[in-house]
């Protein structure tokens, strides 16, 4: 297990991923080994207050020297509007991590499903990179649920992984039904082709979305199906 440490981190790069999501690259002040599926707590000073929020790593767990997080703007939230309002490149923040229980080392099945609702696609990216490189992999199915076509996150990464690894497949589901070439609705509306028996099933997103997905999968009565649920609250 990777030790949990408190340290500072330098924000080295910020990239827009969609109209409401960004990737922040952070260089920790000391090496921070982590396993895909982990998250960090960020502490950001503002007006004399220290705001603490959790963010999952979205980069590969092979580089302890630097990691990325994928953040969605919550327009009425406390921290994310601050991040959007100012240029944070070159700023130091406090970090605590790595944290989390739903990590890749616990997922041992050769058949795995990774489901990401919204910004949950970030941690799915990190997990997909880890699981996709395993010798014992039989199939890795990735499905992300997105509000609109332009909000599909990390699409280039997932497309490239599925094109270069025949064991990996990816599907994007879009809930806004106007003008999309993708399946419409929620992830749980598009599961009929899958057999969840003898598999690990990971899901990440808002609690209500994860609950609905887990219920739908459970209703198919899969045998030997292990759930890993990372719900953002
Ligand atoms: C383990 C974990 C991992 C996470 N990973 C990620 C990640 O990878 N990426 C990511 O973007 N987020 C992630 N989150 C969520 C993240 O920690 C923040 O909660 C999120 O970014 C919003 O922060 P904020 O300060 O902008 O909003 P907050 O101030 O926390 O507010 C969040 C929402 O609640 C609403 N709200 C706030 N106060 C009230 C109130 N009194 N009444 C009604 N509504 C209210 C706001 O309008 C806003 O929409 C994760 C959370 C957890 C627990």
């Amino acid at each position: 297990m990777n030790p949990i440490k408190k340290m500072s981190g330098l924000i080295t790069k910020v990239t827009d991923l969609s109209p409401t999501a960004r990737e922040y690259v952070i260089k920790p002040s000391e090496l921070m080994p982590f396993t895909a599926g982990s998250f960090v707590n960020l502490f950001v000073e503002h007006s004399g207050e220290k705001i603490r929020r959790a963010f999952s790593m979205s980069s590969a767990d092979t580089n302890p020297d630097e990691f990325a997080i994928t953040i969605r703007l919550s327009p009425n939230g406390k921290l994310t509007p601050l991040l959007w309002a100012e240029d944070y490149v070159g700023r130091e923040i406090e970090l605590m991590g790595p944290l989390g229980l739903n990590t890749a080392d616990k997922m041992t099945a050769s058949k795995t499903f990774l489901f990401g609702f919204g910004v949950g696609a970030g941690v799915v990216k990190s997990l997909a990179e880890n699981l996709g490189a395993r010798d014992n992999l039989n199939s890795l199915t990735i499905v992300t649920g997105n509000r609109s076509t332009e909000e599909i996150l990390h699409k280039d990464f997932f497309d490239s992984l599925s094109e270069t690894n025949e064991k990996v497949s990816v599907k994007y589901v879009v809930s806004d039904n106007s003008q999309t070439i993708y399946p419409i609705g929620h992830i749980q509306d598009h599961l009929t082709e899958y057999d969840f028996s003898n598999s690990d099933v990971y899901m990440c997103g808002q609690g209500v979305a994860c609950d609905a997905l887990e219920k739908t999968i459970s209703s198919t009565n899969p045998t030997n199906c292990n759930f890993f649920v990372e719900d953002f609250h």
Side-chain angles (χ1 to χ4, degrees):
M1 196 163 141
N2 298 306
I4 301 167
K5 302 184 213 170
K6 259 199 152 183
M7 64 185 86
S8 65
L10 179 71
I11 299 178
T12 57
K13 196 174 170 199
V14 178
T15 310
D16 281 325
L17 300 176
S18 81
T20 66
R22 287 179 176 171
E23 182 181 72
Y24 285 70
V25 177
I26 299 175
K27 193 171 175 51
S29 55
E30 50 184 290
L31 293 183
M32 187 161 64
F34 68 97
T35 307
S38 304
F39 66 91
V40 279
N41 278 331
L42 257 57
F43 301 82
V44 180
E45 295 265 354
H46 181 71
S47 300
E49 190 192 351
K50 206 178 265 185
I51 307 170
R52 168 186 175 154
R53 292 290 182 271
F55 295 100
S56 300
M57 275 86 152
S58 52
S59 51
D61 59 12
T62 43
N63 184 7
D65 193 37
E66 196 175 68
F67 63 86
I69 51 181
T70 302
I71 304 185
R72 169 143 286 144
L73 172 66
S74 288
N76 301 315
K78 205 172 213 179
L79 177 64
T80 55
L82 296 174
L83 297 178
W84 257 249
E86 290 175 38
D87 181 8
Y88 270 76
V89 175
R91 291 213 203 170
E92 293 259 352
I93 49 163
E94 261 182 66
L95 302 172
M96 187 171 80
L99 299 152
L101 297 174
N102 296 310
T103 43
D105 50 320
K106 316 261 174 54
M107 298 170 205
T108 52
S110 57
K111 176 166 66 165
T112 305
F113 295 87
L114 298 176
F115 295 109
F117 290 99
V119 76
V123 62
V124 164
K125 172 175 177 279
S126 181
L127 285 164
E129 215 158 345
N130 177 305
L131 301 175
R134 287 187 183 175
D135 291 336
N136 75 335
L137 183 74
N138 268 342
S139 75
L140 174 61
T141 305
I142 299 162
V143 186
T144 71
N146 311 277
R147 210 172 304 155
S148 65
T149 306
E150 61 183 356
E151 290 292 355
I152 297 175
L153 303 180
H154 301 301
K155 184 173 180 303
D156 290 348
F157 169 83
F158 292 127
D159 287 348
S160 150
L161 188 66
S162 65
E163 279 156 21
T164 54
N165 187 336
E166 60 181 14
K167 295 179 175 164
V168 178
S169 68
V170 62
K171 179 154 78 179
Y172 308 104
V173 178
V174 170
S175 55
D176 168 2
N177 64 5
S178 55
Q179 302 201 337
T180 186
I181 57 166
Y182 300 103
I184 294 167
H186 298 303
I187 292 176
Q188 57 271 24
D189 305 326
H190 298 278
L191 300 178
T192 47
E193 72 206 82
Y194 307 129
D195 170 11
F196 292 100
S197 289
N198 304 310
S199 71
D200 284 339
V201 175
Y202 175 92
M203 59 186 77
C204 178
Q206 294 291 331
V208 280
C210 291
D211 280 354
L213 177 59
E214 189 176 348
K215 275 200 188 98
T216 307
I217 294 172
S218 297
S219 72
T220 68
N221 298 316
T223 52
N224 192 23
C225 171
N226 303 305
F227 288 102
F228 299 84
V229 181
E230 192 72 69
D231 59 340
F232 293 175
H233 36 262

